[in-house]
Amino acid sequence: GAGVSQTPSNKVTEKGKYVELRCDPISGHTALYWYRQSLGQGPEFLIYFQGTGAADDSGLPNDRFFAVRPEGSVSTLKIQRTERGDSAVYLCASSTGHSSNEQFFGPGTRLTVL
Amino acid sequence: AQSVTQLGSHVSVSEGALVLLRCNYSSSVPPYLFWYVQYPNQGLQLLLKYTSAATLVKGINGFEAEFKKSETSFHLTKPSAHMSDAAEYFCAVSLSGGSNYKLTFGKGTLLTVNP
């Protein structure tokens, strides 16, 4: 079946602009995670959804970052007033939400802020 | 809280040689441990996971890892490296219990395989 998909695959924007990154999880997966991977680093947790609600947003770096999952499936990560330091690969993962379950990762969106 | 340390940001081996990638973790509760592989321009793929069953875990592509609680380690090994194993490898930990299984990753180890 289809895996996790993310769009766009690449996004170039200018400092100060607003961007939206989309994640389509595997059908039926209730848990959805966003991570950010900077160059030369491992992925860092941003936010976790269980169903429609954000169960843990402790990884969001500041209030310019926001994410939604209104129907419990597709999620959108929104970044306001982008800064050059936001440049990174944004990864989405989904799982069934059961204990110890594997997280399936999408290919990521590479965001470049000029 | 949890954390992961991967010793060696870059490991180079010859084709056919043993692969050993090191991972040490810190966790306040019994952990779940994972190894992921990332090929260039691709997403993360799970190699194997430890979830409190057998301490020696076998994964895909001939990789295995052993959970050693006394050493807080979860090193990844493969007896004989193939050229196709060249990639970046990430060790990750999540906490057992609760419902949030967010992963905390190490910084990664880039594996180079020389012919």
Side-chain angles (χ1 to χ4, degrees), chain A residues 17 22 32 47 52 55 63-64 73 76 80 83 90 92 94-95 101 107-108:
Chain A
K17 299 290 187 182
R22 176 188 169 107
L32 186 146
I47 187 169
T52 60
D63 61 6
R64 296 187 297 105
S73 177
T76 305
Q80 298 177 320
E83 299 177 357
Y90 290 81
C92 177
S94 71
S95 77
N101 221 25

Side-chain angles (χ1 to χ4, degrees), chain A residues 35-55:
Chain A
Y35 295 86
R36 179 168 71 173
Q37 186 175 19
S38 300
L39 194 63
Q41 302 294 318
E44 293 179 308
F45 169 77
L46 294 177
I47 187 169
Y48 156 61
F49 287 89
Q50 181 60 249
T52 60

Side-chain angles (χ1 to χ4, degrees), chain B residues 30-97:
Chain B
Y32 293 146
L33 294 160
F34 305 80
W35 275 99
Y36 280 86
V37 60
Q38 188 173 39
Y39 297 102
N41 300 316
Q42 294 188 28
L44 292 161
Q45 179 183 5
L46 182 70
L47 277 177
L48 49 80
K49 63 181 181 182
Y50 166 77
T51 56
S52 74
T55 56
L56 181 62
V57 180
K58 295 186 183 298
I60 61 172
N61 301 338
F63 285 93
E64 63 181 38
E66 186 172 9
F67 171 69
K68 293 187 176 180
K69 184 178 178 181
S70 61
E71 299 178 8
T72 62
S73 70
F74 191 58
H75 301 330
L76 182 71
T77 61
K78 181 174 180 177
S80 176
H82 294 165
M83 297 295 291
S84 60
D85 294 327
E88 185 139 32
Y89 292 80
F90 293 94
C91 182
V93 62
S94 70
L95 300 181
S96 60

